[in-house]
Amino acid sequence: MKSFLNVLIDVASTPAILVALIAVLGLVLQKKSTSDIFRGGIKTFVGFLVVTAGAGVVQASLEPFGEMFKVAFNMQGVVPNNEAIVAIALTKFGTSTALIMLIGMIFNVLIARFTRFKYIYLTGHATLYMSCMIAVILSVTGFTTAPLILLGGLALGIVNTLSPAILQPFMKKITGNDTVALGHTGGVGYALSGLVGKLFGTKSKSTEDINFPKGLAFLRDSTVSITITMGIIYIIVALFTGSSYITENLSGGTNYLIYALQQAGTFAAGVFVILSGVRLILAEIVPAFKGISEKLVPNAKPALDCPIIFPYAPNAVLIGFFSSFAGGIVSMMIMIFSGGVIIIPGVVPHFFCGATAGVFGNSTGGLKGAIFGSFIQGILISFLPVLLMPVLGNLGFADSTFSDADYGIAGIFLGGLSSIGGKIAVIIGIMLVLAVMFVLTYMKKNKNTEVIK
């Protein structure tokens, strides 16, 4: 039984397999031919592997940049990194995390089926990380065994349904349709970026309409512009870090400036791979999901990982990254002068969350929306981890913590309820959120009925 459970967890936490199976199910429900089913499943599987490979390349190129930044400016503190904190937590909360994840996915489907929030969350690794955080907080609160698993699964199902829901109005503007949703743990930050963008209206030109002089027209190619921009940034940080540290600890003896340029090129290559994989996925998963929408969860939308929106505004991706990272640096300075916990800007979360926030801000406020929306998002994911750390028990004193906005909001909500009224308050709070979702569904049905009459 335990080995079977482990296989299910491996499938659920591997996006390529999970989404490929979902695509196959959708095609089967549409009674497609065997060849169409195989083609759709395999291309979706490969598409997610391409995106995962690209994300891995980007992350691998950003890790030495983060190390160089800390050394260059002599910074010490807590670095938000989801993979690091989850690796620590799973040693103690592995079983409860796995069970919460499975129950949470079931609740997600049930909530989508019976409420107006028709979103199926398909980002497996994000679901695993959120499950882990919920397991930690509920365990600290005092929940054990069945109550821990059921309540944690319900909380996860609610979070994974609501997060895509609050983002969908912005997703319609970004994609130009209502067929796909965003399933990522930075949801609150992206919505905030979109709202900040609205302050600038539509008067600010889009990041994709930036006019380059004729002699610099080559910069309109996103691969070229990303390589040049990141090359400049890497070289500046490398100069501050110094040749000796880089050659001895990072580059394996390669000249430190050559190494910096190589990492910049690697970063651009990773982004190029991500964009290619996203196009392949969207071409397969959206049509395949039609079968699930028609048979299992009417009008359901697949909520996919944040890179799916990168092709819609490649310039905003880079602008959002830099603006978010700038927000992280400003936040760090405030923390230094205030004498509290210092959150070192995590380059990886600031890239993925900042880039996504940039696209959201651009969709509502153009270039200014991308800059200021992602900057505010960068501040948000710098201060939320500080507020989250106390509710994580002993895990809150580790050298790393959860980074993205949804972890902070969900974790602070659950931890705050616990501090107010213990287990009873947590149960009541979760049930109230679920009740509100059903009330909103009922109100929408009545409104639709009145319109028909």
Side-chain angles (χ1 to χ4, degrees):
M1 179 65 185
K2 188 173 181 180
S3 59
F4 177 70
L5 177 62
N6 289 335
V7 171
L8 289 178
I9 296 302
D10 288 340
V11 170
S13 58
T14 305
I17 296 177
L18 175 64
V19 180
L21 290 175
I22 294 293
V24 167
L25 175 61
L27 293 169
V28 169
L29 290 174
Q30 292 180 71
K31 298 181 179 179
K32 295 288 185 179
S33 66
T34 303
S35 62
D36 285 342
I37 293 171
F38 271 105
R39 180 186 60 81
I42 291 173
K43 291 185 75 173
T44 303
F45 175 67
V46 172
F48 258 88
L49 288 178
V50 170
V51 173
T52 301
V57 171
V58 168
Q59 186 164 335
S61 72
L62 288 175
E63 286 174 352
F65 179 86
E67 184 65 24
M68 289 158 59
F69 181 85
K70 286 194 292 182
V71 173
F73 302 104
N74 193 27
M75 295 295 176
Q76 296 294 325
V78 176
V79 180
N81 185 289
N82 300 325
E83 289 76 16
I85 192 68
V86 168
I88 296 172
L90 286 179
T91 58
K92 183 177 181 182
F93 302 97
T95 301
S96 54
T97 294
L99 293 172
I100 285 174
M101 182 176 179
L102 287 180
I103 299 300
M105 295 176 72
I106 294 172
F107 273 122
N108 176 208
V109 173
L110 290 175
I111 293 170
R113 176 65 179 84
F114 295 107
T115 73
R116 60 183 286 187
F117 305 100
K118 307 295 184 180
Y119 305 97
I120 308 298
Y121 201 96
L122 297 179
T123 309
H125 66 282
T127 301
L128 175 66
Y129 299 166
M130 183 64 77
S131 303
C132 184
M133 187 197 71
I134 291 173
V136 171
I137 294 175
L138 293 186
S139 296
V140 171
T141 302
F143 288 99
T144 58
T145 59
L148 170 67
I149 305 307
L150 292 175
L151 197 65
L154 179 57
L156 177 65
I158 291 172
V159 171
N160 282 2
T161 310
L162 284 181
S163 182
I166 65 172
L167 298 176
Q168 198 59 18
F170 303 104
M171 284 293 289
K172 291 178 186 177
K173 293 180 78 64
I174 293 169
T175 64
N177 57 62
D178 193 24
T179 58
V180 67
L182 183 66
H184 190 252
T185 44
V188 174
Y190 310 148
L192 178 61
S193 181
L195 293 174
V196 170
K198 282 188 175 182
L199 297 177
F200 301 96
T202 55
K203 294 181 180 179
S204 175
K205 64 181 178 181
S206 169
T207 55
E208 310 314 298
D209 295 330
I210 296 175
N211 293 318
F212 296 99
K214 287 186 177 180
L216 299 176
F218 62 88
L219 291 175
R220 289 197 61 83
D221 186 309
S222 61
T223 302
V224 174
S225 61
I226 289 174
T227 303
I228 293 174
T229 306
M230 292 302 293
I232 293 171
I233 298 297
Y234 267 91
I235 286 176
I236 291 173
V237 175
L239 288 171
F240 277 97
T241 305
S243 172
S244 59
Y245 181 85
I246 294 176
T247 54
E248 292 174 10
N249 297 279
L250 298 175
S251 71
T254 302
N255 178 275
Y256 74 119
L257 294 181
I258 299 297
Y259 176 75
L261 287 174
Q262 184 181 30
Q263 294 306 309
T266 302
F267 176 91
V271 173
F272 180 85
V273 172
I274 288 173
L275 298 181
S276 302
V278 166
R279 295 187 183 98
L280 182 59
I281 293 169
L282 291 180
E284 298 298 328
I285 190 65
V286 173
F289 216 76
K290 182 181 177 184
I292 293 174
S293 298
E294 292 175 346
K295 299 289 170 58
L296 299 181
V297 183
N299 303 314
K301 300 175 183 64
L304 304 171
D305 203 354
C306 60
I308 62 165
I309 65 168
F310 290 0
Y312 294 98
N315 289 340
V317 167
L318 197 59
I319 291 169
F321 168 39
F322 289 138
S323 296
S324 179
F325 193 68
I329 293 174
V330 169
S331 301
M332 181 180 67
M333 295 302 176
I334 294 173
M335 294 174 195
I336 290 173
F337 286 110
S338 65
V341 175
I342 299 174
I343 300 293
I344 304 295
V347 185
V348 173
H350 277 291
F351 170 69
F352 286 103
C353 294
T356 308
V359 178
F360 272 75
N362 177 66
S363 71
T364 55
L367 176 60
K368 292 180 181 178
I371 293 171
F372 290 103
S374 52
F375 179 81
I376 297 299
Q377 188 274 158
I379 292 176
L380 182 70
I381 65 171
S382 298
F383 282 98
L384 279 178
V386 177
L387 301 175
L388 176 63
M389 289 170 69
V391 305
L392 295 175
N394 293 332
L395 196 66
F397 299 100
D399 292 330
S400 186
T401 188
F402 293 95
S403 59
D404 309 349
D406 287 1
Y407 296 118
I409 297 299
I412 292 167
F413 175 74
L414 292 174
L417 289 174
S418 175
S419 63
I420 292 171
K423 292 191 286 187
I424 296 298
V426 172
I427 295 171
I428 293 174
I430 292 174
M431 293 302 178
L432 279 176
V433 174
L434 184 63
V436 169
M437 295 174 72
F438 276 100
V439 168
L440 291 174
T441 301
Y442 177 77
M443 291 172 61
K444 184 179 181 181
K445 285 183 179 179
N446 280 355
K447 185 177 180 179
N448 291 341
T449 303
E450 291 174 5
V451 170
I452 293 174
K453 289 180 178 179

